[in-house]
Amino acid sequence: MHIADSLDQMLSDFIAGHIPLDLIRDLKDKVEPADVNLLMQQIDSLKDLSEYCKNDFDDQTIKGFFLFIDAVSALIINLGEPALDQMGDHSGFSHPFVPWVVKYVQDDRFHTEILQKFDGIFAG
């Protein structure tokens, strides 16, 4: 499965209330620093959160949506310094969630918390 297709499936799984650990693990092993642009394009292509929700009380979708953003951030953080160097290119994106991913990735105070959300997949 292509990385973009895997990311689409991962978003669908998260929104459905499932944490696709096998898919995250597969992406972790597959992505390279050269894929940072693709990962960030996936964040930039996200629709407004309300478009994913089933109703006004759909906490599951909201939680999944933000876990997806954290998972993409974790994938980039896991790539290390070569990927971090590319993040500056994305600070000008206008999507409301892109700046958060840039912040999470560039500020190491967030790294441990984000990486720990995925059941040891990103453990050293």
Side-chain angles (χ1 to χ4, degrees), residues 6-113:
S6 295
L7 290 167
D8 288 340
Q9 182 62 51
M10 186 169 70
L11 176 61
S12 295
D13 288 350
F14 274 123
I15 286 176
H18 308 291
I19 299 177
L21 295 176
D22 289 339
L23 191 53
I24 296 168
R25 192 174 291 109
D26 181 55
L27 279 166
K28 176 191 162 243
D29 294 339
K30 208 183 277 186
V31 297
E32 300 176 357
D35 297 317
V36 168
N37 285 331
L38 177 63
L39 295 168
M40 292 304 294
Q41 286 171 1
Q42 187 74 21
I43 298 297
D44 192 49
S45 71
L46 290 172
K47 297 181 257 179
D48 185 79
L49 177 57
S50 63
E51 293 187 42
Y52 297 101
C53 292
K54 296 168 191 73
N55 57 53
D56 289 344
F57 305 102
D58 186 4
D59 292 339
Q60 174 182 302
T61 297
I62 294 169
K63 182 179 177 184
F65 182 86
F66 287 108
L67 272 174
F68 173 76
I69 291 171
D70 288 343
V72 171
S73 298
L75 288 166
I76 297 170
I77 291 166
N78 186 65
L79 291 171
E81 199 63 41
L84 300 180
D85 293 342
Q86 294 185 43
M87 291 306 295
D89 298 340
H90 299 283
S91 58
F93 279 45
S94 62
H95 192 281
F97 297 108
V98 168
W100 287 105
V101 174
V102 172
K103 182 177 181 75
Y104 294 155
V105 170
Q106 289 182 336
D107 190 336
D108 62 359
R109 293 177 295 175
F110 296 104
H111 291 187
T112 301
E113 179 184 344

